[in-house]
Amino acid sequence: MSRRLLVAVAVAGAAVTTAAGALVLFAHGFQPYGPAEKMAQVVTGAVWITTGLIAWQRRPSNRVGPLMTAVGFANLAHLLYWDAALPFTIGELISWWSIPLTVHLFLAFPSGRVSTRIERAFVAFLYAATVVLSFQSQLFWDPRGTDCPQCPRNLLLVNTDPGVWSVQSTTGDLVIVAILVTSVVLVVRRVRNSSGPTRRAMAPVLVTAAIAAILLGVVVVLDAAGTQTQGSAALWVSDVAYAAIPIAFLVGLLRTRLARSAVADLVVELGSLPPPGQLRDAIARCLGDPSLELLFWLPDSERYVDGAGNARDPEQAPGRAVTVLEHDDKRLAALVHDAALLDEPELLQGVGAAASLALENARLQAELRAQLAEVRASRARIVQAGDAERRRLERDLHDGAQQRLLGIRLALQLARGQIGDERAFTELLAEADREVVDALEELRALARGIHPAILTDEGLAPALDALARRASVPVAVTVCRGRHPAPVEAAAYFVAAEALANVAKHAHASRVAIELSRANGDVVIAVADDGIGGADTGGAGLRGLRDRVEALDGRLQVDSPPDGGTRVTAALPCA
Amino acid sequence: MPRTVLIVDDHARFRGLARRLLEAAGYTVVGEAGDGESALSAVCELRPQLVLLDIVLPDTDGFAVAERLAGHCAAPVVVLTSSREAADFGGRLVSSPARGFIHKDDLSSAALAAVAGEP
C-alpha cells in the first residue's frame, strides 16, 4: 500500500511537472492550436490525471486508477505540439494512445479487469493496432506539405508523397471508426449482461459519456456544415463534458463505498435469525447484487450446498467471483457474486462478520437438509439394490440350478427309452449325475452369495479366509480374531467380497492384501491390490457398499490413483 | 406332419439333450440357434417344418421371433417353450401366432406331437 502510494505521488509529481512545463510552453506559443484550446487540453488532462490518482490511491489494487491517469497523460501529449521537431513527433506518437486506453478503461470499469475473452482479445488488438497505426501514420504524414503548413518537421517521415498519405490516412480513419463502433457495441453488451453493482457503478460514467458524445457529434456536424466552431459554446460544453467523464469514473468507483452503511442495516435485519432463503436475500440487498448466490460449506463431506441442501460447486463464470466467508478461521459459506464487488473486500468481509451467526445457523440447517437428502437417496438406492438383488437371484436360479434339473429330467427321459441298451443307458445316467453335481455346486455358490454360512457359524476371520481361498489372485489375509455384531461382520465381509470381485473384473492385479483391525472403537477392513487403479467410485457396486457401511454410521473410502492400485477401506463403529 | 426341427434356446446343454430326445422319437433336427437373430436366419436357410422356440432369449423374446416367423418366407410351425409357467406370460401366449406352448419340465416327443402333430 505505502509503495503504491509512493508510486501515486511520483506520478502526480510527473503530472504537475508536465502541466507546469506545458504552461511554460504556452508562454512560447503552440503551433497548431489556439490558446483557449490549449488551456482546455491542459485542464482536461489535469482532471483525468488527478481523478485517476485519487482512484489509484483509494483502490490501489484496481487498474481503473492507473488507466485514468494514463488517459490523462495521453491527452496532455498534444501540449508537446510546439515548434520543435522532436517534441512534436513524440507528441504525435503518444496522442494515439488515448484511444486504446479509454476503451480499455470503459471495458475494465469498475472491477479493473476485462472479464470476457472477447473483450480481452479486443483490448489486446487495440494496443497492437495503436502501435501499428501511430508509426504508420508518422512514416507518411508530412504536416507541412498537407494540412498544417506552420507545424514543425515530422522526424519519422520517410515518404512525402501526398497520394500515399491520403490512402494511409483514409485506412487509418476507417480502422478508428471500426474500433469505436466495436467499442460501443462491447460496452453496451457489457452493461446488458452485468448485474447490480456493475450497473450502479457504470451509470454516472455512461450518462456523462453519452452527453459528451452527443455534444461532440453536434460539433462535428456544425464543422461539416461549414459553421465556425473554434471557441464556440458547443465546443466548450463538449470539452467540459469530456473533462467530466473521469469525475464520473471516480464517482462510480467510489459509489460502492456508500454501500458500507448497508452492513449496519444488515446487522439490524439479521437480529432475528432469518430462514436461509431470506438470509441470501438480505445479503443480496446489502451488496446490491440480486444475482448473488449463497452456498454453505459442509466440513464433514468437504463440499458446498445451497440452502436446499443440494450439492453445488462455486463456479468462476466471466464477471462473477467467489468470496469465502469465515468465522474464527472456520469456513462458513461462499458468496458467488458480481466481480465488481471484489473492489470492496472490506464490504464483503463486513457482510461475512455481520452475518456470521445467521450464516452458521443457516449452514447447520443446510447441512441437515443435505443429510436428509442423502438419507432419502440412500434409502431409495437400498430399495433399488434389494430389487436388483431379487432379479439377479431369479436369473441365477433360472439360468443355473433350474437348467441343470431340466437337463437331468431330459437325460432320465432319454435313459428310459434306452433300457435295452446298457451302454447308452449307463452314459445317460453318468450325464445326469454330472448335472446333479453341477447343480449342487451352483446352488452352494448362490447360497453363499446370499449369505455365507461360515460367516454366521464361525465369524468374520474364517469367512475372509474362505473368501481369499476362492479368489482369482493370491490374497494375503491379516485378521484380528474375535466376533463382532452380526451387521458389522456382514458389512465387512461384503466390502471384502465386492472388492475382490472388482479385483477379478477390473484391476489386473497380481496380489491382494486383506487387513482386518480394530482402531478407535471401529472395526476396520482394508482391501488393497497392486493393479491398475483408476476405479469407478460411482459404480453401483461401490455405491451399494457405501450405503451398507453408512447405514451402520461407518465410512467407506476408496483410493484408486491411476497405476497406483486400489485400496478400499471401511471403518465400522463397533462399541 | 412336421418332421424337420430347429431348436432355439440359449442353453447349449438343453439344446443337446432336446436334440437327442427328438431324434430318438423320429424327428430330424436340422439345426440349433442360441438367440433370436440367428434363429431367424437359420429358418430362412434350413427351412425347418417345426421350430421349438425358447421364450427367454438373450437378444429378444420368443414371442417377437414367433411374430416375425409368422410372416416369414417358409412360415414353420412354432412351439414355444420355457422353464417358466405359462401363467407367467399372461395373455401373450394366447395372442401369439405360435401353435402352442410346452413347459420345459413337460418336454417330450409325445408332448411335442400333441401340440404340433405326429412326426
Side-chain angles (χ1 to χ4, degrees):
Chain A
M1 173 74 192
S2 57
R3 210 185 107 251
R4 292 208 171 98
L5 202 64
L6 254 165
V7 172
V9 172
V11 176
V16 171
T17 316
T18 312
L23 286 173
V24 176
L25 294 173
F26 185 75
H28 282 76
F30 297 100
Q31 291 303 324
Y33 299 115
E37 278 176 298
K38 274 174 269 173
M39 198 61 216
Q41 281 167 6
V42 173
V43 170
T44 307
V47 171
W48 273 95
I49 291 173
T50 313
T51 48
L53 287 172
I54 295 171
W56 196 343
Q57 189 260 327
R58 299 292 284 272
R59 296 278 191 277
S61 57
N62 192 317
R63 271 186 216 151
V64 165
L67 276 171
M68 288 167 69
T69 313
V71 172
F73 278 105
N75 279 327
L76 283 178
H78 288 94
L79 295 175
L80 293 170
Y81 283 16
W82 58 310
D83 48 2
L86 185 63
F88 175 76
T89 308
I90 294 173
E92 261 304 308
L93 280 178
I94 295 176
S95 67
W96 280 89
W97 287 85
S98 61
I99 297 174
L101 287 166
T102 310
V103 175
H104 185 175
L105 177 60
F106 268 92
L107 291 177
F109 186 78
S111 69
R113 284 175 307 277
V114 183
S115 52
T116 70
R117 199 179 297 169
I118 186 166
E119 288 169 358
R120 277 197 295 274
F122 181 63
V123 170
F125 163 79
L126 268 184
Y127 284 117
T130 302
V131 172
V132 174
L133 280 176
S134 60
F135 276 96
Q136 195 187 14
S137 141
Q138 287 303 99
L139 295 178
F140 301 103
W141 180 46
D142 178 14
R144 296 206 248 196
T146 53
D147 46 353
C148 180
Q150 73 274 37
C151 277
R153 204 158 52 85
N154 171 7
L155 288 178
L156 292 176
L157 186 69
V158 292
N159 185 329
T160 54
D161 183 346
V164 175
W165 162 240
S166 167
V167 173
Q168 296 288 345
S169 163
T170 312
T171 314
D173 287 351
L174 286 176
V175 171
I176 290 170
V177 168
I179 284 171
L180 290 178
V181 170
T182 313
S183 305
V184 169
V185 169
L186 285 178
V187 169
V188 169
R189 181 172 158 270
R190 237 189 113 220
V191 174
R192 280 181 53 189
N193 293 342
S194 59
S195 56
T198 300
R199 283 193 186 190
R200 206 173 50 210
M202 287 189 89
V205 176
L206 293 174
V207 170
T208 319
I211 293 171
I214 290 166
L215 289 168
L216 195 64
V218 170
V219 173
V220 170
V221 169
L222 288 176
D223 265 342
T227 312
Q228 180 57 258
T229 56
Q230 283 278 359
S232 74
L235 189 61
W236 274 106
V237 178
S238 150
D239 280 347
V240 170
Y242 182 67
I245 292 177
I247 297 171
F249 269 115
L250 187 64
V251 168
L253 193 69
L254 300 183
R255 202 176 181 182
T256 41
R257 289 234 155 167
L258 300 173
R260 241 184 237 181
S261 63
V263 175
D265 297 341
L266 184 68
V267 173
V268 175
E269 194 171 347
L270 297 183
S272 54
L273 294 174
Q278 288 179 26
L279 176 62
R280 188 216 76 90
D281 295 347
I283 295 177
R285 266 197 306 281
C286 172
L287 295 176
D289 182 1
S291 64
L292 178 97
E293 284 179 87
L294 175 60
L295 304 178
F296 300 100
W297 176 248
L298 306 189
D300 288 344
S301 47
E302 300 199 329
R303 64 194 167 115
Y304 283 103
V305 293
D306 60 17
N310 303 314
R312 289 287 312 276
D313 213 4
E315 280 173 33
Q316 290 269 26
R320 310 291 292 165
V322 178
T323 297
V324 174
L325 300 179
E326 294 181 341
H327 184 61
D328 290 342
D329 289 334
K330 213 172 66 181
R331 195 189 308 189
L332 287 180
L335 298 174
V336 183
H337 54 79
D338 191 301
L341 287 169
L342 284 179
D343 280 340
E344 294 284 297
E346 310 93 335
L347 177 64
L348 285 167
Q349 290 310 322
V351 164
S356 62
L357 186 61
L359 276 172
E360 177 62 18
N361 183 45
R363 194 190 69 74
L364 288 171
Q365 288 187 37
E367 190 165 17
L368 197 63
R369 284 197 180 84
Q371 280 170 0
L372 269 177
E374 180 49 41
V375 166
R376 273 196 208 102
S378 143
R379 201 169 52 192
R381 283 200 301 271
I382 286 168
V383 171
Q384 281 165 9
D387 289 347
E389 188 64 12
R390 280 159 186 266
R391 280 196 297 276
R392 191 182 67 78
L393 282 175
E394 194 273 343
R395 214 169 40 238
D396 283 356
L397 279 170
H398 174 260
D399 289 347
Q402 203 174 0
Q403 296 300 325
R404 301 281 174 218
L405 291 171
L406 268 174
I408 295 163
R409 186 177 157 79
L410 288 177
L412 289 176
Q413 268 195 56
L414 278 167
R416 201 163 52 197
Q418 303 289 336
I419 285 180
D421 181 344
E422 194 179 333
R423 194 160 149 259
F425 183 73
T426 316
E427 257 177 36
L428 281 163
L429 280 188
E431 194 168 338
D433 185 55
R434 280 199 298 279
E435 292 280 313
V436 171
V437 170
D438 288 351
L440 284 171
E441 176 49 40
E442 279 173 10
L443 280 173
R444 255 195 305 274
L446 192 64
R448 205 163 42 224
I450 296 170
H451 197 93
I454 190 172
L455 182 63
T456 319
D457 298 341
E458 298 182 41
L460 186 53
L464 291 175
D465 284 336
L467 201 55
R469 278 197 299 276
R470 285 196 304 275
S472 56
V473 289
V475 180
V477 182
T478 316
V479 292
C480 57
R481 301 279 155 179
R483 297 298 303 260
H484 309 291
V488 171
E489 289 200 329
Y493 176 86
F494 284 110
V495 166
E498 177 71 24
L500 284 179
N502 285 341
V503 168
K505 275 189 271 185
H506 312 296
H508 303 289
S510 63
R511 57 176 187 276
V512 180
I514 298 180
E515 200 179 326
L516 181 71
S517 57
R518 296 286 306 247
N520 305 323
D522 290 350
V523 170
V524 180
I525 177 117
V527 183
D529 68 54
D530 62 350
I532 56 170
D536 173 17
T537 53
L542 281 174
R543 210 172 50 220
L545 279 189
R546 195 178 294 281
D547 286 340
R548 190 186 270 272
V549 168
E550 287 177 357
L552 298 173
D553 271 340
R555 294 176 311 282
L556 183 81
Q557 195 181 341
V558 181
D559 298 308
S560 189
D563 296 325
T566 299
R567 185 182 177 85
V568 178
T569 312
L572 301 151
C574 183
Chain B
M1 294 297 160
R3 301 192 61 84
T4 54
V5 186
L6 175 74
I7 301 172
V8 185
D9 197 293
D10 53 333
H11 293 98
R13 291 178 80 157
F14 174 83
R15 291 200 304 266
L17 283 163
R19 171 190 277 269
R20 283 156 69 183
L21 191 74
L22 296 184
E23 283 177 348
Y27 288 93
T28 305
V29 177
V30 292
E32 297 175 17
D35 57 55
E37 276 308 312
S38 46
L40 288 165
S41 53
V43 166
C44 234
E45 194 185 323
L46 305 169
R47 306 283 173 121
Q49 294 163 313
L50 175 66
V51 178
L52 181 64
L53 178 58
D54 189 16
I55 292 179
V56 182
L57 293 171
D59 57 342
T60 173
D61 64 41
F63 296 113
V65 176
E67 290 280 347
R68 286 175 68 182
L69 283 179
H72 203 268
C73 42
V77 172
V78 174
V79 175
L80 292 165
T81 183
S82 176
S83 52
R84 291 179 187 164
E85 300 285 336
D88 290 346
F89 301 108
R92 297 184 75 192
L93 272 178
V94 181
S95 58
S96 170
R99 178 73 61 87
F101 172 78
I102 301 174
H103 194 280
K104 276 188 182 175
D105 288 7
D106 303 328
L107 182 65
S108 64
S109 53
L112 193 61
V115 173
E118 290 289 335

